[in-house]
């Protein structure tokens, strides 16, 4: 058997220009009164993809899912599923199931009945329903709670019932709105991997909304970062992290240091940015960086080095500062360095050995440096 | 818990006396031996036997119950539909007018409802009697059902209906399998309210009834004008007993469900 990892590594239909998207949002806009919740959004999702929507609260993630499920009609634009325009299809005929953010369990039905509801609507025979329900209960570890009513369950248990109910029909597309928000860390991680396995095994397309970037990074093939009703970037987790296309994305995903400056030269595949009197950044050019004018350089804390000794070429990708704060996190330590310009820089260091000899301490003078391919140049 | 002060005890006692003393007197005198209502002459149940043998009273009671059951049932169906229309389809044309019109009977004086219905029935050439009273009572009680059911619908989580449709239930199946069971308690209390209102009504029934269809309140009222008899006390006591039993059963049921629910919730969070 192939491992999950090797299957996933070879899965990249978005790079294949002949692959047809399974779900397409085409210039979709949704207005509530004069408030625009989703703004001229276009997005392609491929068959068997595990797709995550990431964004701040209120940016329109749920609205997007609700339009796909059929509970909201787009003000303009088209939603295409498997080659068919969905606008005339009512929710109960769409091959899409949704797990609701509010769980939306039927309060008058037992856990079993809740999970079996969709199967019953399809007219599945009773014994098959019972079998599938038992399978689902096992999956979400709620066998003991089969005959309880929703109000007899804790928040996390309810969430698992909602998950089981949406999975029971094994729809072609499963929409999950914050599926794991109420679970504790351990159960959450377990469920993440179970969801990934399930999605692979059944060959389903998952669209997951989450607040939690770590969760999105772990589970998704691709992530769409949303802001104010628009998609800012769609890319694989690694691309989003290593090559954010805007300051917003860089800032939103993980920790980042951003240096603002002006482009002084842009030639030979390198961009030079003047940041302050004592620092000029030389960075490899990449797609989204400007060739002149204001620019920003974004670099992740783990790619920033700190040392007591001056590097070979001070002033270029290296600058002096003073340790301002130290945060010990166990597996790594975060150093916050204050530069002469007043800006602070975060640098993280893995604690690879148990005892550091002569560790860098508070108020020490240090050099902060990085490689020219360690960060990205962004527009302003 | 705080012990109640003497002032509180007095206030409560006075309040209850004000509410229930008249009814208590009525019940006591229904067991009076004497034919004179205000003179106590010993305990007896003979007036209850008299009621049983009084064909006129029994007929009126029967009419009242039939009108009540039918009117309450029809009003509950229509009222529930109106409540659904008002909460679920928020954008249809003339919604404001419709909701205003649904609630109008709530504030309209009974005399005016009665009079206008009378005019309608006369103009339409209906024979007044059982059916006209029933129709009038449907008109009267429907809006109460709507109010009760609507408030339940508003507080209900809409997303469970969406979830049902998402799982493949058509709108009709969604209503029958999800919405109705969830709002059932409100529908039942709407029905009980409608039934009681119909049982109570004197004014509208007076306008819309005809020969051969006299309701119990009408009968009692007309007899009282000839003088209160212990028989009337007995009928009234029976009515009070019926209503009280209904109220007690309803509140015990709600209470028990509430207690059960709380126990369940505690059990769920205890583990
Ligand atoms: N029915 C509605 N009427 C008016 N405004 C709405 C409605 N539904 C959503 N909105 C607005 O649209 C915006 C997007 O809402 P949405 O629920 O999609 O956010 P979200 O990204 O899912 O947020 P969260 O992460 O908090 O769930 C919000 O500002 C919300 O107030
Ligand atoms: Mg949401």
């Amino acid at each position: 058997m192939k491992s999950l990892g090797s299957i996933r590594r070879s899965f990249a239909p978005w790079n294949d220009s002949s692959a047809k998207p399974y779900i397409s949002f085409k210039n979709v806009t949704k207005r509530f009164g004069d408030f625009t919740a989703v703004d001229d959004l276009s997005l392609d999702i491929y068959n068997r993809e595990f797709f995550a929507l990431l964004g701040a609260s209120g940016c329109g993630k749920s609205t997007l899912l609700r339009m796909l499920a059929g509970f909201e009609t787009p003000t303009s634009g088209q939603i295409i599923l498997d080659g068919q325009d969905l606008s005339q299809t009512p929710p109960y005929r769409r091959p899409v199931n949704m797990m609701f953010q509010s769980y939306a369990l039927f309060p008058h039905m037992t856990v079993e009945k809740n999970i079996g509801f969709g199967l019953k609507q399809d007219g599945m025979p009773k014994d098959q329903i019972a079998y599938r329900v038992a399978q689902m209960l096992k999956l979400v570890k709620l066998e003991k709670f089969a005959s309880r009513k929703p109000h007899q369950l804790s928040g996390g248990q309810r969430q698992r019932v909602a998950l089981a109910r949406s999975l029971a029909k094994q729809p072609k597309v499963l929409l999950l709105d914050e599926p794991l928000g109420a679970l504790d860390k351990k159960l959450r991680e377990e469920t993440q991997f179970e969801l990934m396995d399930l999605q692979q095994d059944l060959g389903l397309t998952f669209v997951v909304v989450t607040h939690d970037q770590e969760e999105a990074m772990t589970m998704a093939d691709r992530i769409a970062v949303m802001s104010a009703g628009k998609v800012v970037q769609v890319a694989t987790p690694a691309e989003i992290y290593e090559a954010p296309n805007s300051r917003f994305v860089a800032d939103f995903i993980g920790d980042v240091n951003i240096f603002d400056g002006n482009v002084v030269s842009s030639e030979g595949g390198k961009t030079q940015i003047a940041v302050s009197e004592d620092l000029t950044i030389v960075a490899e050019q990449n797609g989204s960086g400007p060739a002149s004018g204001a620019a920003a350089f974004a670099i992740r804390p783990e790619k920033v080095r700190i040392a007591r000794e001056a590097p070979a070429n001070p002033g270029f990708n290296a600058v002096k500062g003073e340790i301002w704060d130290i945060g010990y996190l166990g597996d790594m330590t975060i150093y916050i360095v204050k530069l002469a310009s007043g800006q602070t820089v975060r640098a993280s260091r893995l604690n690879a050995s148990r005892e550091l000899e002569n560790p860098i301490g508070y108020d020490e003078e240090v050099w902060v440096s990085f490689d020219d391919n360690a960060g990205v140049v962004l527009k302003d | 818990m705080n012990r109640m002060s003497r002032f509180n005890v007095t206030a409560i006692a006075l309040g209850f006396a004000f509410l229930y003393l008249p009814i208590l007197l009525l019940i006591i005198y229904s067991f009076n031996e004497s034919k004179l209502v205000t003179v106590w002459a010993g305990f007896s149940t003979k007036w209850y036997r008299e009621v049983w043998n009084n064909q006129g009273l029994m007929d009126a009671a029967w009419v009242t119950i039939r009108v009540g059951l039918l009117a309450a049932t029809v009003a509950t169906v229509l009222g529930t539909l109106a409540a659904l229309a008002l909460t679920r389809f928020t954008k249809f044309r003339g919604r404001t007018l419709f909701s205003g019109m649904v609630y109008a009977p709530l504030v309209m004086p009974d005399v005016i409802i009665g009079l206008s219905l009378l005019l309608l029935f006369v103009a339409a050439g209906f024979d007044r009697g059982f059916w006209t009273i029933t129709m009038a009572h449907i008109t009267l009680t429907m809006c109460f059902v709507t109010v009760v059911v609507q408030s339940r619908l508003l507080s209900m989580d809409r997303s469970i209906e969406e979830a049902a449709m998402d799982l493949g239930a058509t709108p009709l199946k969604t209503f029958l399998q999800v919405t109705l069971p969830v709002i059932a308690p409100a529908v039942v209390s709407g029905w009980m309210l409608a039934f009681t209102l119909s049982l109570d009504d004197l004014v509208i029934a007076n306008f819309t009834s005809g020969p051969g269809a006299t309701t119990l309140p009408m009968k009692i009222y007309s007899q009282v004008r000839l003088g209160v008899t212990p028989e009337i006390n007995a009928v009234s006591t029976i009515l009070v007993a019926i209503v009280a039993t209904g109220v007690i059963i309803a509140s015990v049921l709600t209470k028990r469900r509430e207690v059960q629910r709380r126990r369940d919730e505690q059990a769920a969070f205890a583990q």
Side-chain angles (χ1 to χ4, degrees):
Chain A
M1 211 180 90
K2 263 176 124 182
S3 76
L4 191 60
S6 65
I7 296 173
R8 296 191 75 185
R9 252 195 307 279
S10 58
F11 178 78
W14 48 88
N15 289 331
D16 176 359
S17 57
S18 69
K20 260 182 60 183
Y22 193 59
I23 303 165
S24 277
F25 290 88
K26 293 200 165 143
N27 304 95
V28 172
T29 297
K30 176 68 189 176
R31 286 196 198 92
F32 295 107
D34 52 8
F35 177 80
T36 308
V38 172
D39 192 0
D40 193 26
L41 178 144
S42 295
L43 190 63
D44 287 336
I45 298 171
Y46 292 86
N47 197 8
R48 298 175 168 236
E49 185 170 5
F50 201 125
F51 195 88
L53 290 169
L54 196 55
S57 186
C59 70
K61 306 179 299 284
S62 295
T63 307
L64 201 63
L65 286 199
R66 291 172 56 78
M67 285 194 285
L68 188 49
F71 305 127
E72 307 282 0
T73 354
T75 312
S76 67
Q78 266 189 317
I79 302 174
I80 313 266
L81 182 101
D82 202 8
Q84 281 194 319
D85 186 341
L86 280 182
S87 58
Q88 297 305 317
T89 316
Y92 49 91
R93 296 233 179 76
R94 298 189 182 197
V96 168
N97 280 164
M98 175 150 165
M99 177 188 162
F100 287 73
Q101 193 168 12
S102 61
Y103 316 152
L105 299 178
F106 307 128
H108 58 293
M109 293 184 198
T110 60
V111 167
E112 252 173 336
K113 287 265 158 55
N114 262 285
I115 298 176
F117 185 88
L119 304 171
K120 194 176 126 195
Q121 304 307 317
D122 285 355
M124 192 188 254
K126 274 215 171 71
D127 50 332
Q128 281 181 39
I129 295 185
Y131 177 75
R132 184 78 73 79
V133 168
Q135 237 183 347
M136 289 299 138
L137 283 170
K138 187 147 171 273
L139 176 75
V140 294
K141 302 195 176 57
L142 285 175
E143 296 103 320
K144 279 189 289 184
F145 301 86
S147 49
R148 294 241 188 137
K149 295 265 182 74
H151 68 262
Q152 297 166 286
L153 300 174
S154 71
Q157 290 165 344
R158 278 179 224 179
Q159 191 163 40
R160 281 183 278 157
V161 177
L163 182 62
R165 187 180 67 180
S166 63
L167 278 170
K169 283 184 85 170
Q170 302 184 347
K172 309 207 77 169
V173 180
L174 190 61
L175 311 176
L176 302 147
D177 202 343
E178 304 263 352
L180 311 176
L183 305 186
D184 56 55
K185 194 162 186 289
K186 191 159 166 290
L187 192 57
R188 196 183 170 109
E189 279 167 8
E190 269 175 42
T191 317
Q192 281 174 10
F193 286 107
E194 254 153 37
L195 277 181
M196 287 158 66
D197 278 345
L198 201 78
Q199 187 253 350
Q200 277 298 334
D201 289 350
L202 301 177
L204 309 179
T205 307
F206 275 27
V207 184
V208 179
V209 164
T210 172
H211 272 119
D212 181 342
Q213 35 163 304
E214 222 174 282
E215 186 172 294
M217 303 278 247
T218 313
M219 297 199 291
D221 292 312
R222 280 191 308 160
I223 297 174
V225 179
M226 286 183 68
S227 166
K230 285 184 186 291
V231 168
V232 189
Q233 186 172 12
V234 190
T236 62
E239 279 168 342
I240 294 256
Y241 188 77
E242 301 296 352
N245 68 356
S246 62
R247 196 188 187 105
F248 177 84
V249 175
D251 214 16
F252 191 77
I253 310 280
D255 278 332
V256 72
N257 297 299
I258 293 183
F259 295 93
D260 289 304
N262 280 301
V263 175
V264 278
S265 79
S266 184
E267 56 200 21
K270 307 256 171 176
T271 305
Q272 282 204 15
I273 304 168
V275 175
S276 58
E277 279 169 21
D278 52 355
L279 177 64
T280 301
I281 288 173
V282 184
E284 274 187 5
Q285 259 166 10
N286 49 25
S288 59
S292 63
F297 179 75
I299 182 165
R300 304 285 180 191
E302 71 275 9
K303 298 185 179 76
V304 176
R305 282 188 301 268
I306 52 173
R308 288 201 180 87
E309 306 78 35
N313 199 0
F316 291 91
N317 289 0
V319 61
K320 206 151 67 164
E322 191 176 278
I323 297 284
W324 190 253
D325 205 354
I326 301 175
Y328 177 73
L329 300 183
D331 53 347
M332 60 178 181
T333 304
I334 310 268
Y335 297 90
I336 297 182
V337 182
K338 189 155 195 175
L339 307 183
S341 62
Q343 183 174 4
T344 55
V345 176
R346 293 166 78 93
S348 64
R349 246 196 191 183
L350 270 183
N351 296 330
S353 61
R354 283 185 60 217
E355 284 156 57
L356 273 171
E357 254 177 66
N358 191 10
I360 293 174
Y362 283 96
D363 298 332
E364 262 190 73
E365 281 219 330
V366 290
W367 282 88
V368 169
S369 64
F370 38 84
D371 294 334
D372 55 6
N373 61 359
V376 287
V377 181
L378 303 170
K379 271 187 299 226
D380 183 23
Chain B
M1 217 167 75
N2 281 344
R3 279 192 59 84
M4 282 192 287
S5 71
R6 195 173 296 173
F7 172 76
N8 281 348
V9 174
T10 324
I12 287 175
L14 278 177
F16 273 116
F18 185 74
L19 284 173
Y20 290 108
L21 210 53
I23 297 178
L24 195 66
L25 271 180
L26 178 128
I27 293 173
I28 291 171
Y29 277 110
S30 75
F31 293 104
N32 193 356
E33 171 76 47
S34 161
K35 192 164 176 64
L36 292 169
V37 179
T38 47
V39 181
W40 182 257
F43 180 84
S44 144
T45 53
K46 76 171 186 196
W47 298 114
Y48 288 87
R49 246 173 295 126
E50 291 287 315
V51 169
W52 186 251
N53 294 327
N54 183 333
Q55 198 54 44
L57 271 182
M58 288 315 282
D59 284 348
W62 183 226
V63 168
T64 307
I65 288 174
R66 267 162 48 218
V67 167
L69 290 177
L70 190 59
T73 307
V74 176
T76 303
V77 173
L78 293 178
T80 304
L81 290 177
L84 276 173
L86 284 173
T87 46
R88 291 298 181 251
F89 311 104
T90 47
K91 273 181 284 200
F92 64 90
R93 194 188 273 243
R95 182 181 182 278
T96 322
L97 185 67
F98 180 61
S99 66
M101 276 168 31
V102 165
Y103 293 138
L106 218 53
V107 288
M108 194 96 77
D110 283 359
V111 183
I112 295 183
I113 300 179
L115 187 61
S116 53
L117 282 167
L118 174 64
L119 290 177
L120 173 74
F121 292 145
V122 170
F126 284 163
D127 280 339
R128 272 167 294 138
F130 174 80
W131 292 106
T132 47
I133 303 179
T134 308
M135 277 194 269
H137 280 184
I138 294 172
T139 318
L140 171 75
T141 56
M142 194 189 100
C143 55
F144 290 90
V145 177
T146 304
V147 172
V148 173
V149 175
Q150 191 182 12
S151 76
R152 180 73 193 96
L153 279 171
L154 285 175
S155 68
M156 171 182 157
D157 182 7
R158 276 288 325 249
S159 61
I160 65 169
E161 291 177 339
E162 291 177 344
M165 282 201 242
D166 187 63
L167 292 165
T170 58
L172 182 66
K173 278 189 173 168
T174 301
F175 176 73
L176 293 177
Q177 294 182 26
V178 173
T179 317
L180 198 55
V182 171
I183 61 168
V187 174
V188 171
S189 36
W191 187 91
M192 299 225 293
L193 187 61
F195 183 70
T196 329
L197 283 168
S198 165
L199 217 62
D200 266 2
D201 171 68
L202 171 64
V203 178
I204 294 175
N206 240 327
F207 276 104
T208 54
S209 77
T214 310
T215 64
L216 199 54
M218 287 166 67
K219 188 80 184 170
I220 295 174
Y221 186 68
S222 64
Q223 286 210 357
V224 168
R225 280 198 299 193
L226 306 174
V228 181
T229 64
E231 235 177 346
I232 297 294
N233 288 346
V235 180
S236 310
T237 304
I238 293 172
L239 271 182
V240 169
I242 292 174
V243 173
T245 317
V247 170
I248 290 169
I249 289 176
S251 69
V252 165
L253 284 181
T254 347
K255 189 84 166 208
R256 203 183 277 168
R257 210 163 33 204
E258 197 55 40
V259 169
Q260 179 67 36
R261 194 189 162 91
R262 218 167 295 151
R263 243 207 321 261
D264 290 345
E265 258 160 30
Q266 273 161 7
F269 287 106
Q271 37 187 313

